[in-house]
Amino acid sequence: MKLTNFDIISVAMSQYGIKENTSNTVHEEKILSYFHEIGHSWVKNDETAWCSAYWNWVIKKCDLTGTGKLNARSWLEAGEKVDIGNAVVGDTVVLWRTAPHSWKGHVGGYINHDNKFIYMIGGNQNNEVNISSYPISRVLEIRRISK
């Protein structure tokens, strides 16, 4: 069966609303499972940055190859680059954080965009899986993950 970006976004949306536990002693098991299922069983709390863990989990559930890494910018090497005008729901969006040339980033799934904002589903967006908007100027690249 050939997977589509519809499959990717369906898996991503299945986690909508999963959020960090606000207690410092109890951690959200589902978030920990994102880490563990992609090979990072050393992670023991939901305060560890988890946007890339979540997106790797989504991609793995679709039987596709992610980066396996926890840094968002690792996705700049995954799949193939897609121009924003050709982006489709479920493509991978990589954003910069702090500064365009910083090592910091954020990753999630493309939903839509307009002249000012890109809308994406992602993990660790305000400490939960949700759809959020970001200034379009923060987009580093959009990548398409396929077999």
Side-chain angles (χ1 to χ4, degrees):
M1 176 177 99
K2 183 171 176 9
L3 291 169
T4 65
N5 277 34
F6 178 78
D7 298 302
I8 294 171
I9 208 65
S10 294
V11 171
M13 289 297 291
S14 75
Q15 303 302 293
Y16 195 92
I18 297 292
K19 59 179 76 175
E20 290 179 21
N21 194 314
T22 56
S23 164
N24 287 331
T25 57
V26 178
H27 303 284
E28 173 54 51
E29 289 298 320
K30 190 61 186 174
I31 293 171
L32 294 179
S33 76
Y34 301 150
F35 290 105
H36 298 176
E37 290 184 40
I38 66 162
H40 296 279
S41 58
W42 58 269
V43 176
K44 304 295 183 202
N45 66 66
D46 59 9
E47 285 88 35
T48 302
W50 53 278
C51 68
S52 188
Y54 164 75
W55 199 245
N56 268 293
W57 181 88
V58 168
I59 296 302
K60 182 177 181 177
K61 289 294 180 188
C62 293
D63 198 30
L64 298 170
T65 302
T67 68
K69 297 179 181 177
L70 299 182
N71 58 318
R73 287 186 182 224
S74 67
W75 289 91
L76 293 170
E77 304 298 320
E80 63 183 66
K81 186 176 178 178
V82 177
D83 180 73
I84 195 165
N86 294 318
V88 296
V89 173
D91 280 343
T92 299
V93 178
V94 184
L95 304 175
W96 59 266
R97 276 192 318 123
T98 310
H101 298 292
S102 164
W103 64 269
K104 297 176 182 178
H106 183 62
V107 66
Y110 177 86
I111 299 293
N112 203 350
H113 74 279
D114 57 30
N115 290 334
K116 293 184 180 181
F117 297 100
I118 191 158
Y119 303 88
M120 54 192 274
I121 184 165
N124 207 14
Q125 297 184 158
N126 200 23
N127 299 325
E128 68 181 0
V129 176
N130 63 32
I131 296 173
S132 295
S133 62
Y134 296 90
I136 206 160
S137 61
R138 287 190 43 205
V139 174
L140 288 171
E141 285 186 12
I142 298 175
R143 311 290 294 185
R144 183 156 303 142
I145 312 299
S146 58
K147 282 200 172 207

